[in-house]
Amino acid sequence: MTSTLTADGAYPGLQLTLHDPGILEIVIRSEKTLNSVDAAAHRALTRVWRDIDDTPGVRCVLIRGEGRGFSSGGDFALIEEMSSDFTALARVWKEARDLVYNVVNCGKPIVSAIHGPCVGAGLAVALLADVSVAAKSARLLDGHVRLGVAAGDHAAIIWPLLCGLNKAKYHLLTGESVSGEEAERIGLVSLCVPDDDLLDRAWTVARTLATGSPTAIRWTKYALNNWLRQAGPIFDTSLALEFLGFTGPDVREGLSSLREKREPRFEEDAPI
């Protein structure tokens, strides 16, 4: 494998290790609470998929979080920067757009192993993976409305396809989390297993994909992902509206309330 993927520090917040037979393990790691994603890690999580696609020897990807959870989402410093700096807002918008399309267009099959909290950019990758394996204790949460912005970073492109429009609306409009068991029941994830079996099952799936016909598996993935490409305009609209929300007052109140661990006091009405 080329040094692009193995160089220390090439992908801040991510640890990459290549295992036989060609399985690239990506571990989301952060010294901050529950693998939160800062600006550098967000950028790394965006661009790694194109590099994987171009790297010979990688036949499958397994992504997981270190420690007590998959990822707790974007850190507060990044959110604050986006709400106050247009250049940062535009940069992260492009990264959020590219993250989704890069995962969709990565030719190598991707397996996600989800445990504990799974939020934000981490949730986007976990659900866009070709096979998602969740522990029973996993807690999947799209927290955009709680923050005060539209659910835009991946939800509109995939949730309705996975669990249907009614379930998608319920969870995305209310911000109610989904357990691993419930996620499997409604079709949001591929499999749900006991916590102790999570990594074994995810690795078994990854080995099956890594040892299968590369052309058959990659071309099947490419064809199936046309369902997601077809939904591209829906995703683009949702992402634009999410980032429009970062210019308004609700996101500032949402961020303050999260920091202060209290209920938000959002605007009583809106001009739309």
Side-chain angles (χ1 to χ4, degrees):
M1 188 164 58
T2 65
S3 60
T4 303
L5 290 175
T6 57
D8 289 342
Y11 303 97
L14 306 178
Q15 175 183 293
L16 278 64
T17 308
L18 186 63
H19 304 269
D20 289 333
I23 301 172
L24 180 68
E25 180 186 28
I26 300 178
V27 181
I28 303 174
R29 309 180 60 177
S30 175
E31 295 178 358
K32 300 176 182 177
T33 305
L34 287 176
N35 304 323
S36 61
V37 177
D38 63 13
H42 192 270
R43 193 155 45 248
L45 200 57
T46 296
R47 64 185 179 86
V48 69
W49 306 104
R50 278 195 258 187
D51 293 341
I52 289 169
D53 202 38
D54 292 337
T55 301
V58 177
R59 297 180 59 126
C60 181
V61 178
L62 188 152
I63 185 166
R64 64 179 180 87
E66 185 178 67
R68 295 181 294 122
F70 193 89
S71 176
S72 59
D75 70 4
F76 290 165
L78 177 59
I79 294 169
E80 186 171 41
E81 183 185 18
M82 291 165 60
S83 65
S84 60
D85 183 332
F86 177 78
T87 300
L89 184 68
R91 183 194 75 236
V92 179
W93 165 80
K94 184 178 186 300
E95 291 173 2
R97 181 200 66 187
D98 290 349
L99 189 155
V100 167
Y101 286 128
N102 288 350
V103 173
V104 169
N105 291 323
C106 179
K108 316 294 174 67
I110 302 166
V111 178
S112 59
I114 309 165
H115 76 294
C118 185
V119 187
L123 179 62
V125 173
L127 294 185
L128 288 167
D130 304 298
V131 179
S132 49
V133 185
K136 287 187 176 182
S137 66
R139 184 170 63 88
L140 290 72
L141 172 66
D142 191 297
H144 284 83
V145 294
R146 174 62 178 80
L147 180 62
V149 296
D153 71 356
H154 76 287
I157 198 172
I158 191 144
W159 281 60
L161 283 172
L162 295 177
C163 64
L165 188 57
N166 282 343
K167 283 291 186 183
K169 282 184 175 180
Y170 176 76
H171 288 285
L172 299 175
L173 295 177
T174 65
E176 183 175 308
S177 64
V178 186
S179 69
E181 286 185 287
E182 177 68 2
E184 183 188 44
R185 189 187 73 80
I186 65 177
L188 195 61
V189 298
S190 307
L191 302 169
C192 177
V193 297
D195 289 31
D196 291 343
D197 297 338
L198 175 65
L199 290 181
D200 284 345
R201 188 61 183 275
W203 278 102
T204 297
V205 174
R207 281 190 288 270
T208 298
L209 294 173
T211 56
S213 163
T215 51
I217 290 171
R218 295 174 195 178
W219 288 346
T220 299
K221 169 178 176 170
Y222 183 87
L224 288 170
N225 275 1
N226 277 329
W227 286 101
L228 301 179
R229 295 183 187 96
Q230 182 176 260
I234 298 171
F235 165 65
D236 291 340
T237 300
S238 71
L239 193 65
L241 292 171
E242 174 192 350
F243 278 72
L244 178 61
F246 278 101
T247 68
D250 279 356
V251 71
R252 291 188 288 274
E253 168 57 19
L255 181 57
S256 294
S257 67
L258 287 170
R259 279 179 162 157
E260 297 165 11
K261 298 181 180 181
R262 60 170 174 81
E263 288 297 312
R265 296 182 290 272
F266 291 128
E267 297 285 307
E268 292 183 4
D269 203 353
I272 54 173

